[in-house]
Amino acid sequence: MNAVRGDVEIRIGGRVRRLRLTFGALAEIETLLGVSGFAALGARLPRLSAGELAILLRAGGEEVDAADLPVELATAASAVARAFEAALA
């Protein structure tokens, strides 16, 4: 893990995985959620479905497949939030 680059950890499927929010991931997330800009994205994040959250994890840098799930929703949401915080720091 490289905190300077904005890496965060999440345990999925019994393994520690790395997430890093890149510009490409951010663009993919905005497109997926049908929003534009940080304000709209921030307003939409609290209403994510489990499927959207899994896609956000993939967009954030980790491959997550059906065998990896279920991951606790709160754990996944926390990791995505920490990735955003790290990217904006």
Side-chain angles (χ1 to χ4, degrees), residues 3-76:
V4 174
R5 293 186 66 176
D7 291 356
V8 298
E9 293 181 353
I10 182 173
R11 183 170 293 277
I12 300 174
R15 290 181 27 214
V16 174
R17 312 282 185 109
R18 173 188 52 88
L19 298 181
R20 181 185 305 137
L21 187 64
T22 64
F23 284 119
L26 183 57
E28 186 176 340
I29 290 166
E30 284 183 334
T31 299
L32 165 74
L33 299 179
V35 299
S36 181
F38 285 118
L41 185 58
R44 178 66 173 81
L45 286 176
R47 300 186 324 267
L48 293 179
S49 70
E52 290 168 336
L53 193 51
I55 292 169
L56 292 183
L57 291 171
R58 284 194 294 275
E62 269 305 324
E63 279 304 313
V64 180
D65 61 31
D68 292 329
L69 300 176
V71 60
E72 289 185 25
L73 186 59
T75 300

Side-chain angles (χ1 to χ4, degrees), residues 75-88:
T75 300
S78 173
V80 171
R82 286 183 290 122
F84 272 92
E85 290 171 4
L88 298 174

